[in-house]
Structures are given as structure tokens and as C-alpha cells.
Amino acid sequence: MAVAFYDNKLEIADILNFSFAELHELLCSPDIIDGASVRDFEADIRDWTGAQHAIAVNNATDGLMIALAAAGIGPGDEVIVPCYSFFATASSVVHVGAMPVFVDIDPQTYALDIDKIQRAITQRTKAIMPVHLFSQMADMPKLTKLAHEHGLLVVEDSAEAMGMYQYDQHAGTIGDIGVFSFFPTKTLGALGDAGMIITQNVSLAEKCRAIANLRDGQAHAGHFRILSRMDDWQAIVLRQRLTRLDGTIGARNANARRLTQLLSLVKGVQTPVFVDKGYGSSAVYYVYLIEAERRDELAAYLARHHVAAETYYPLALHLQPVFRQLGYVEGDFPHAERASKRALGLPMHPELKEPDVQEIARLIGAFYGDNP
């Protein structure tokens, strides 16, 4: 039995069939980039998240750079980021000329450890960038309180956080500005790269839209601009997938609960821990992440038995060669470094079936000598 890390063939086939007429009409139109379908999708995202403003971009990495630039962050500034995240979290800071300042993570949620942020704040600190990873958000009430006390902006890297809430507020709407990714494997995925910036601040929204649209800056450029726009055919697909998102999230979470049930007694494996701090937070299993003894051996064993798995993230950001000049060394952030050696993402998607889930658990149990 082969179990893919991600698979959406059935849903996409249905969506393309459902949207055929709309896609055909688009192909006959000159309005195929940042056009009417994109505007409609932006409106859908505003409705879904409660954001007052939504700006579609080509991808989430662009979105983070645009958000930081719109907030006026640049050379000489510092942005606090977790040292355990996708590379774009830190690289977006570098691309606007600022410096990332790394902070360790909470070992259960993998998000920024709020209690460790205070010591990282300096006179040059301008923003904090929490990342909502894998299945749950960072502790936003505590983080925003700290940011307010120090006059800092909060830029939410919500790339993985579609459908996540705290206090009935959607991820990306609690801080000053947030960014989603619609990379194909995301909970809400396109058929290529796509992203979205959301904010409640009209001034930030206007600056983001201006920065992202190079074409409008040809005559009078008040901002440094890049070309980052969404294709309309991606918006058409995403609008259809958004109508199914509640079901998608439900299927993901059901598969996650079943995996946890089957793996809970396997020695050598730590299943995900959802931390509810009492403010009505919600889980969305974009990635089902275990921590495993002999992680790399387990991943190789699963691969030999045709089950795909991915390591997250095998080298923490503060130890990446490109950040060597910042002076961090191994041992500075023990929780992130431990996770980078133990964390393994298992297949997780709505089209994962019960036999697939059982096969994943059976193989992991066999590797460790247990039978879940």
C-alpha cells in the first residue's frame, strides 16, 4: 500500500469539472491576472476571516515581505521571530533590510515561547512575528499584550493557519497584519503558488496593495514595489475550495484524532499536544507532527514501505549557514534544536482513508516493536 504525504486528486477533479465554464470564460478574457475573480476571492476571505482588508499576492513569502515593508520596517530594525519555522519567516525580514532576532519555541505548540521574548527586545526592535505552526496558533492574547506594552507591531505568519481561531478571532486578524499561504498542500490550497495579506488597518492595506502592484508605480512610485499578484484561475479554484473548507478541516481533524488514538501507546513516539489556554482556540491539522526517537531511521523505514513522511525542520533557523554572522551557536535554543532532530510529519489530508491511517500506525508500531 502506498500512502502519499498529500493527495487531493479527487477534490481537484470535482472542482475543475464544476468550474469548467468559469475557467473557459477566463481563458477567453484578457482579465486573467489580478482581475475580477481575484477581487471576488479577496471578498470571500474578508467574509471568512472577519478581516476588513484582503490583498491577494503571488505567494506567502512575498506577502510577508510586503507586510513588513508596508509597516515601515527596514535597515537598522529588528524583528523577533521563532528559530523553528519555514525559512521564509526569517528570510522575509532580511529581504526588507532588517535583522531577525531568534527566540526559542514552546515545546508543545512549536510556537514562539512568549516568556522568552522579553529578553530579546532592544531599542531596535520594531515587530514580533509569531508563526502558527502545524495545528494551533501561538498564544496571541499574551503576545499582543507584550507587544502593546513595548509599542511593537505584530505580523502574524499565518501561512498554515487557515481556519484557526482564538477568542472567535481568525488567525491573521489579531495582530496588526497577517499573511496566508495557499501553497497546494495547505489546508486551503491552490494549484500553484498563491497568498493573501489581511489586516484591519486601512493604511497598511493601501500600502500593501501599492507595494505589490509594480504596474501602478510606473509613473509615480511612492513606495518600493515588487510584482506580486494572484492569477485569476487560482482564485477560481480557491473560491471553490473555500466553500468546502469546513469539511476539509473536519476530515483532517478526524484523521488526526484517529492517528493519535492508534499511536498513543507506541513507545518512542510523542503524538501532537493541543494546548487550550482557555480562550476558545481551535485546532486545524495542516500537518500531523510526531516527535520520534531515531526519527531519520523511522522516516527511511516508512519510505521503504511506501509511506511518505517529511522532517520538520531538520536544521533550526539560527543554525542555518546564512545566519552564521548573527552569532548564534548550538545550544542557544534547546527546544527548537530538540524538535529539529525528532519531529516528523506524517501523511495528513482529507483524502486519507481509514486503511491508510491503520497502515501508517501499523508500520510505526512495527518499527518500534509495538502493535497499536
Side-chain angles (χ1 to χ4, degrees), residues 297-312:
E297 293 178 49
L298 173 60
Y301 176 83
L302 292 173
R304 288 197 301 273
H305 290 82
H306 312 292
V307 172
E310 291 190 8
T311 56
Y312 287 83

Side-chain angles (χ1 to χ4, degrees), residues 86 131-135 157-164 179-181 186-187 284 286-287 312-313:
F86 184 59
V131 184
H132 310 311
L133 279 177
F134 307 130
S135 65
D157 183 339
S158 303
E160 300 182 3
M162 199 69 198
M164 296 183 191
V179 178
F180 296 124
S181 170
K186 293 292 192 287
T187 308
V284 176
Y286 163 60
V287 169
Y312 287 83
Y313 295 96

Side-chain angles (χ1 to χ4, degrees), residues 269-284:
V269 170
Q270 177 184 313
T271 56
V273 176
F274 178 72
V275 180
D276 187 347
K277 296 182 180 293
Y279 40 65
S281 52
S282 64
V284 176

Side-chain angles (χ1 to χ4, degrees), residues 32-342:
I32 60 174
I33 301 175
D34 201 35
S37 295
V38 173
R39 298 287 86 77
D40 290 340
F41 180 53
E42 289 175 338
D44 291 344
I45 290 296
R46 291 196 299 270
D47 291 342
W48 179 274
T49 63
Q52 294 183 27
H53 308 280
I55 302 95
V57 291
N58 184 258
N59 57 73
T61 303
D62 283 359
L64 289 172
M65 291 189 293
I66 292 164
L68 290 167
I73 294 170
D77 297 333
E78 295 176 352
V79 178
I80 293 172
V81 300
C83 56
Y84 186 73
S85 179
F86 184 59
F87 190 75
T89 301
S91 68
S92 64
V93 176
V94 176
H95 279 302
V96 298
M99 184 174 75
V101 175
F102 295 115
V103 168
D104 208 354
I105 56 169
D106 180 289
Q108 291 184 307
T109 67
Y110 302 99
L112 270 171
D113 186 334
I114 311 304
D115 294 331
K116 292 183 171 64
I117 292 177
Q118 180 76 48
R119 70 189 71 172
I121 296 173
T122 72
Q123 291 183 338
R124 294 183 297 276
T125 307
K126 292 296 187 296
I128 305 172
M129 186 186 290
V131 184
H132 310 311
L133 279 177
F134 307 130
S135 65
Q136 58 196 301
M137 294 172 62
D139 188 345
M140 291 304 293
K142 193 171 183 178
L143 188 147
T144 51
K145 180 177 183 293
L146 176 66
H148 180 74
E149 290 171 353
H150 291 272
L152 303 176
L153 288 163
V154 176
V155 179
E156 293 181 69
D157 183 339
S158 303
E160 300 182 3
M162 199 69 198
M164 296 183 191
Y165 290 84
Q166 286 179 356
Y167 278 127
D168 294 324
Q169 289 182 270
H170 197 285
T173 67
I174 301 174
D176 296 280
I177 194 165
V179 178
F180 296 124
S181 170
F182 303 125
F183 184 77
T185 62
K186 293 292 192 287
T187 308
L188 177 63
L191 297 185
D193 277 329
M196 186 76 72
I197 303 167
I198 61 171
T199 181
Q200 312 292 32
N201 185 306
V202 62
S203 176
L204 281 176
E206 290 174 349
K207 290 176 182 177
C208 284
R209 198 173 291 282
I211 292 169
N213 197 336
L214 181 63
R215 181 178 56 190
D216 289 348
Q218 289 177 352
H220 301 283
H223 306 277
F224 174 76
R225 296 168 183 254
I226 64 174
L227 186 61
S228 186
R229 299 172 295 176
M230 184 182 289
D231 295 328
D232 278 62
W233 76 280
Q234 299 286 17
I236 290 171
V237 171
L238 286 163
R239 293 193 74 203
Q240 281 296 321
R241 298 197 79 181
L242 185 61
T243 66
R244 307 157 186 246
L245 190 56
D246 283 332
T248 295
I249 291 171
R252 283 177 176 271
N253 288 359
N255 284 329
R257 288 192 296 270
R258 184 68 173 131
L259 274 171
T260 296
Q261 179 186 36
L262 292 171
L263 293 174
S264 60
L265 298 180
V266 177
K267 295 176 182 178
V269 170
Q270 177 184 313
T271 56
V273 176
F274 178 72
V275 180
D276 187 347
K277 296 182 180 293
Y279 40 65
S281 52
S282 64
V284 176
Y285 282 88
Y286 163 60
V287 169
Y288 186 87
L289 195 78
I290 62 171
E291 287 199 19
E293 296 176 7
R294 297 157 51 210
R295 187 266 314 274
D296 295 341
E297 293 178 49
L298 173 60
Y301 176 83
L302 292 173
R304 288 197 301 273
H305 290 82
H306 312 292
V307 172
E310 291 190 8
T311 56
Y312 287 83
Y313 295 96
L315 187 62
L317 290 175
H318 67 289
L319 298 178
Q320 293 286 346
V322 72
F323 294 126
R324 189 174 292 124
Q325 76 277 9
L326 299 181
Y328 297 103
V329 296
E330 190 167 358
D332 282 346
F333 305 115
H335 294 315
E337 292 167 25
R338 174 182 167 85
S340 70
K341 294 178 175 64
R342 291 172 52 86

